[in-house]
Amino acid sequence: MKAYDTIIVGAGTAGCVLANRLSADPARNVLVLEAGRAAPRASSIPALWSSMLNTEVDWSFHTEPQPGCKGRRLYWPRGRMVGGSGALNAMIYMRGMPSDYDCWSAAGCTEWSWKEVLPFFKRSEQNLRLGASPLHGSEGELVVSDIAHVDAVERLWLQAAQAAGLPANEDFNGPRQEGVGLFQATVKDGARFGTGSAFLAPALARPNLSLHTGVTLLRLIFEGTRATGVEFLHNGIPGRVTASSEVVLCAGAVGSPHLLLNSGIGAADELSRVGIRPLIDLPGVGKNLQDHVNASITCATHERFGIAQAADEEAALHMKLWEQDRSGPLASNWSSCGGFARVGPGTGDPDLQLYCIPSANRDHNRHLSAGPGITLFSVLQRPQSHGELRLRSADPLEAPAIDPRYFSDAQGSDLQLLVEGIRLNREILRQAPIAEHLGDEISASAGAVTDAQLRDFVRGHASTLYHPTSTCKMGIDDLAVVDPTLKVHGIEGLYVADASVFPCMVSGNTNAPTVMVAERAAHFIAP
């Protein structure tokens, strides 16, 4: 391989942004290394995102057995392709609350307050409906638009949620987050438009930017305490490549700490225990793991909504509509409506995110329903339960142990908030105009009424909402992995720029904040 100034590990959400921004300087040679390959056609079609789960473009991780979830090992999908998890997700564009970033600032990341990060959100955004707002961008590469297809039952749910007392909200990234409405998404003309399409694809025409796919990272290369490159397997063949300026890890909340640990950066005693010689004793690597956990209920409907039960002939018609002009049910992301509510004690920001899914399918769409229905999600926004990621062995090809420790908070507030979320969703289902379209709530939640029964149901059925963060957290305390400029503590020439650096979880979907982190990383690396 030729000489490079910058190596970016991972062509996911953050890596694609950084590749574009850093290669804009023609004097900087940039290499992007990605374990997966090009995103499949299904990635472009909004409604088909769940068809990629448990396939070759999904890492298909599983957690350690979770005591708080009755010993279950929960499935954790993560994107393994160009575009990363941003090529696999439901495309929702959500920044979180200003208070989230003010919390980051109060934790020692003083340049990460809401006032400081808002310009970087706006820099990447091209909002087709709200671009004229002072809170939105209109000139960025990332197109943010209204979802092209909204199912009839989603509109019924919106009316019912308002009847239950939740206010209407036309912009969840506007002055307030509370309320219900239609989400916006990273969709352009009815097709997915994540950072792989918006940032990386146009930049690949530059002669100073290279993308290598099928690359499995093994470990970092150092000269003393300076990162100078990486070792890898490329299509199974060992190789190494060096960078004269910096290496930037954009491998996500699982991949980035995993690579650091395999390279001898982490808690020294834990590394020695699995046979890895410690280079830097950095005990926070892999710690502080946080995730948005979801508890859902499903209700039968008297008529079919959504596209989950489309027969072959109907499905072919849907595909024809999408191919003709990017319209029809395949332009749906399955979750175009929802909102935010507070169900915990006291006042303050919302503590739950809500979704109405026009399908009775369950378990990440892996269990298909025999009849029509809808599924309502309640998602914990700021979990008090924190977990960790750790090595199983010194083999860099062995997946790490992922232990989010769901519902381990001493007060039990995480579990109780999801119990209250189920009660709120049931209250919505009792309202007109949706109630007349509904049959019975489906087992196993149907028989859960008391607090004890609902807690038992949540522990037995809760699932991830695909938002792991904070395993290489930014800050200045003893467990911080990167400083507020995203440099790894104690190492020269090494940055981390992805959701793993979040000091604490944000309120809402994590894709947009990850884009913002990448924008800030580009600013720090090449101001």
Side-chain angles (χ1 to χ4, degrees):
M1 291 186 180
K2 67 180 184 181
Y4 296 95
D5 300 297
T6 303
I7 296 173
I8 298 171
V9 175
T13 294
C16 291
V17 176
L18 266 172
N20 181 300
R21 296 299 188 222
L22 296 182
S23 66
D25 176 1
R28 180 189 291 267
N29 286 316
V30 179
L31 172 65
V32 183
L33 301 175
E34 166 57 38
R37 303 189 188 278
R41 184 169 181 264
S43 180
S44 297
I45 304 172
L48 297 189
W49 67 269
S50 65
S51 72
M52 296 182 286
L53 302 179
N54 276 329
T55 70
E56 71 282 356
V57 297
D58 178 8
W59 286 99
S60 299
F61 293 119
H62 284 78
T63 70
E64 294 295 281
Q66 295 297 288
C69 297
K70 297 190 170 184
R72 292 183 297 130
R73 296 179 67 239
L74 278 65
Y75 166 52
W76 266 33
R78 307 306 301 153
R80 191 175 190 266
M81 61 186 130
V82 175
S85 296
L88 182 68
N89 66 0
M91 296 151 278
I92 293 172
Y93 184 85
M94 196 74 63
R95 295 171 177 171
M97 295 289 296
S99 59
D100 295 328
Y101 303 99
D102 291 340
C103 179
W104 290 16
S105 179
C109 304
T110 54
E111 294 187 29
W112 293 80
S113 69
W114 175 244
K115 179 181 177 181
E116 297 281 353
V117 303
L118 179 58
F120 290 90
F121 276 115
K122 293 171 65 176
R123 180 183 184 188
S124 59
E125 182 186 14
Q126 184 185 148
N127 197 302
L128 300 188
R129 174 165 61 90
L130 300 167
S133 163
L135 293 176
H136 289 279
S138 60
E139 305 292 331
E141 290 84 353
L142 191 66
V143 172
V144 177
S145 67
D146 298 332
I147 296 165
H149 181 88
V150 180
D151 194 81
V153 78
E154 294 177 299
R155 298 192 185 280
L156 293 173
W157 181 88
L158 284 176
Q159 295 177 62
Q162 291 175 65
L166 297 174
N169 191 337
E170 295 187 356
D171 179 13
F172 294 110
N173 297 301
R176 62 181 175 88
Q177 191 184 60
E178 183 184 12
V180 294
L182 297 175
F183 296 132
Q184 288 198 301
T186 51
V187 170
K188 181 181 180 182
D189 299 326
R192 179 191 296 272
F193 199 69
T195 63
S197 299
F199 286 89
L200 183 61
L204 286 173
R206 299 169 182 165
N208 63 317
L209 175 62
S210 301
L211 168 67
H212 291 182
T213 59
V215 179
T216 301
L217 273 293
L218 301 178
R219 60 187 60 85
L220 297 161
I221 301 170
F222 299 96
E223 291 182 4
T225 56
R226 180 176 184 83
T228 58
V230 295
E231 293 182 359
F232 56 82
L233 297 176
H234 187 205
N235 296 324
I237 299 171
R240 58 166 47 201
V241 63
T242 59
S244 60
S245 184
E246 62 272 313
V247 177
V248 189
L249 305 189
C250 299
V254 175
S256 288
H258 190 218
L259 185 57
L260 288 174
L261 293 169
N262 280 314
S263 304
I265 302 174
D269 58 339
E270 296 178 13
L271 292 173
S272 297
R273 202 174 301 141
V274 297
I276 291 178
R277 183 176 65 85
L279 175 68
I280 295 289
D281 185 12
L282 206 57
V285 176
K287 308 302 191 237
N288 198 44
L289 172 60
Q290 297 167 48
D291 184 34
H292 284 148
V293 62
N294 165 52
S296 59
I297 60 171
T298 300
C299 191
T301 56
H302 299 312
E303 58 210 275
R304 180 163 69 82
F305 294 102
I307 60 175
Q309 295 179 304
D312 291 347
E313 185 175 329
E314 187 180 10
L317 175 61
H318 293 164
M319 180 61 73
K320 185 176 181 180
L321 285 172
W322 190 85
E323 289 176 334
Q324 284 177 343
D325 58 9
R326 302 296 189 261
S327 67
L330 289 183
S332 164
N333 71 336
W334 291 92
S335 52
S336 66
C337 79
F340 294 85
R342 183 172 183 85
V343 296
T347 60
D349 293 333
D351 45 29
L352 288 182
Q353 185 174 13
L354 308 175
Y355 294 84
C356 172
I357 310 298
S359 168
N361 293 350
R362 300 197 194 186
D363 190 27
H364 313 276
N365 211 32
R366 298 184 297 179
H367 291 170
L368 306 183
S369 172
I374 59 172
T375 300
L376 302 188
F377 287 13
S378 55
V379 183
L380 183 67
Q381 289 304 278
R382 290 176 295 280
Q384 299 303 302
S385 303
H386 296 178
E388 67 174 1
L389 176 148
R390 56 187 181 271
L391 295 182
R392 300 178 188 275
S393 73
D395 181 358
L397 300 181
E398 185 172 15
I402 299 169
D403 187 6
R405 297 176 185 159
Y406 293 124
F407 309 126
S408 62
D409 59 306
Q411 295 76 27
S413 60
D414 287 357
L415 185 59
Q416 189 59 37
L417 284 172
L418 290 185
V419 166
E420 298 305 324
I422 291 173
R423 289 200 168 105
L424 173 59
N425 276 329
R426 286 175 171 171
E427 179 64 20
I428 293 170
L429 293 178
R430 285 192 284 268
Q431 307 301 315
I434 201 170
E436 64 192 78
H437 298 273
L438 302 179
D440 294 331
E441 187 174 325
I442 295 172
S443 178
S445 65
V449 179
T450 67
D451 265 21
Q453 291 169 336
L454 285 168
R455 284 195 294 267
D456 191 62
F457 167 75
V458 171
R459 292 178 64 229
H461 293 266
S463 62
T464 179
L465 203 75
Y466 325 119
H467 298 162
T469 71
S470 307
T471 47
C472 297
K473 79 165 189 171
M474 173 174 50
I476 56 176
D477 61 277
D478 291 343
L479 288 180
V481 176
V482 300
D483 69 18
T485 66
L486 303 179
K487 293 179 182 177
V488 176
H489 288 295
I491 298 287
E492 294 297 318
L494 183 60
Y495 293 80
V496 181
D498 54 35
S500 70
V501 306
F502 293 9
C504 54
M505 179 58 82
V506 296
S507 306
N509 311 72
T510 53
N511 186 262
T514 303
V515 174
M516 180 274 292
V517 166
E519 291 278 24
R520 299 226 68 193
H523 172 74
F524 294 135
I525 294 169

